[in-house]
Amino acid sequence: MKKIILMAETGSDVNAELAKEYGVEIVPMHVSFDTETLDDGAFPAEKIVDYYQTTGKLPKTSGSTPEDFEKKLDEVHAKYPDAQILYLAYSAITTCSMQSCVIASEERDYVTIVDTKQVSAGQCNIVVKMAELLNANPDMTMDEAVAAANDLLSRANMCFMPDNLEFLRAGGRVSNVAFLGAKLLNLHPVIEILDGQLMATKKYRGKMNKVAAQLVTDYAEKYDLDREECLWFVYVTGFSDKIREIVENAAKEAGFKKTRWIQAGGVITTHGGPAAFGLAGFSKKK
């Protein structure tokens, strides 16, 4: 029986298949369509694009609630009463989820919380690697697990590139002027996750099939990503198979031996927009 069970939110984009493969417990974040609020992961992400195209409005996203965590924590504890739970949280700066777990776990001494300072594929990368470490070291103590998680998050890097800025503009994250300028010049900004925050750091000009491949090469060099570790790719609905193949080839040429793809769920789709693309990996140990 596992001594430590991992937990994360749906915003990590740890999908059902990965959660089952690695034994990760997933807590829902939420997406609201006017007066209807749904659990992230309970509906196809394409619904968000359809909703925007039909209404001209973006859904609103929200973090996991204390009630969400109470339900999941009690469920896991009832099933594994002797296990500890290590919650690897979605960046606490960006949402209320981690604080919700803090509230829910006040009288639950079997819960330990670590802020990954990552989202989506960046968080998924940490969760999956941590699961692999626990599987390989089943006697790992919680203190050792926390130390390992902190090492991973200190070396974790993630960025994403929207295909266009329409969803970012609709969500109030960029101005109309910036949106029109980017559209006119065919610019693709790179959004990096830096110390938990989403920061625009660079702009690429050109078609996505060209700039996506260049991003893989540039980002791997910038952060000295470990080619022995898995390079994770996340895509939003609408991302083409042709560009996916180009990206795969760029990763191979950069020396990566293993890559994995995940599709963004509702929360990330709402923020990134159709055909957005991202990648995550670990810097080499110094």
Side-chain angles (χ1 to χ4, degrees), residues 14 22 24 50 64 87 111 144 164 190 210 218-219 271 281 286:
V14 174
Y22 291 101
V24 180
D50 293 341
S64 308
Y87 164 47
V111 181
E144 290 170 338
N164 61 66
V190 176
K210 175 184 176 182
D218 292 349
Y219 200 71
H271 297 302
K286 295 181 180 178

Side-chain angles (χ1 to χ4, degrees), residues 9 11-12 29 88-92 94-95 115 118-119 123 267-268:
E9 309 91 332
S12 67
M29 296 173 77
L88 298 174
Y90 191 100
S91 173
T94 65
T95 186
D115 181 3
Q118 288 287 336
V119 305
Q123 185 183 4
V267 168
I268 304 303

Side-chain angles (χ1 to χ4, degrees), residues 5 26 39 50 52 74 98 109 132 138 152 170 179 188 192 201 216 218 221 224 242 274 279 286:
I5 294 172
I26 302 298
D39 287 352
D50 293 341
Y52 178 75
D74 287 346
M98 184 172 133
D109 61 2
E132 292 174 346
L152 292 176
F179 167 71
H188 301 271
E192 293 191 45
T201 58
V216 173
D218 292 349
E221 291 180 358
D224 193 21
K242 179 181 178 181
L279 63 141
K286 295 181 180 178

Side-chain angles (χ1 to χ4, degrees), residues 46-228:
E46 288 77 8
K47 177 180 174 69
I48 289 166
V49 178
D50 293 341
Y51 178 81
Y52 178 75
Q53 292 175 343
T54 301
T55 67
K57 297 186 294 184
L58 276 181
K60 297 184 182 300
T61 62
S62 56
S64 308
T65 66
E67 291 74 21
D68 292 324
F69 278 103
E70 287 171 2
K71 179 179 178 181
K72 179 59 72 172
L73 291 172
D74 287 346
E75 174 188 310
V76 175
H77 187 56
K79 190 174 181 180
Y80 306 104
D82 296 325
Q84 295 284 308
I85 295 173
L86 176 56
Y87 164 47
L88 298 174
Y90 191 100
S91 173
I93 292 177
T94 65
T95 186
C96 66
S97 292
M98 184 172 133
Q99 184 58 34
S100 291
C101 189
V102 170
I103 294 169
S105 61
E106 282 180 353
E107 298 182 4
R108 294 170 170 85
D109 61 2
Y110 52 87
V111 181
T112 299
I113 300 170
V114 173
D115 181 3
T116 67
K117 300 183 180 180
Q118 288 287 336
V119 305
S120 186
Q123 185 183 4
C124 177
N125 188 26
I126 294 171
V127 171
V128 168
K129 184 63 179 180
M130 196 65 226
E132 292 174 346
L133 290 175
L134 288 171
N135 288 337
N137 302 277
D139 293 326
M140 185 180 286
T141 66
M142 182 58 80
D143 286 345
E144 290 170 338
V146 169
N150 282 326
D151 170 66
L152 292 176
L153 70 89
S154 73
R155 296 187 292 113
N157 300 281
M158 186 213 164
C159 67
F160 73 93
M161 177 185 286
D163 183 47
N164 61 66
L165 301 184
E166 187 170 359
F167 270 40
L168 292 173
R169 178 190 61 79
R173 296 178 181 86
V174 299
S175 68
N176 284 333
V177 172
F179 167 71
L180 292 172
K183 187 174 182 179
L184 180 64
L185 297 174
N186 202 15
L187 295 177
H188 301 271
V190 176
I191 313 296
E192 293 191 45
I193 316 302
L194 300 174
D195 199 27
Q197 300 187 69
L198 280 67
M199 306 285 290
T201 58
K202 186 175 181 178
K203 293 185 179 71
Y204 285 82
R205 184 174 182 178
K207 294 183 178 180
M208 185 61 108
N209 60 355
K210 175 184 176 182
V211 299
Q214 189 62 49
L215 175 61
V216 173
T217 302
D218 292 349
Y219 200 71
E221 291 180 358
K222 179 179 180 179
Y223 289 103
D224 193 21
L225 297 186
D226 192 340
R227 272 61 166 181
E228 299 299 321

Side-chain angles (χ1 to χ4, degrees), residues 249-264:
N249 289 335
K252 289 178 182 177
E253 289 177 5
F256 289 96
K257 296 178 173 59
K258 182 180 179 182
T259 59
R260 294 188 76 166
W261 287 84
I262 48 176
Q263 181 176 353

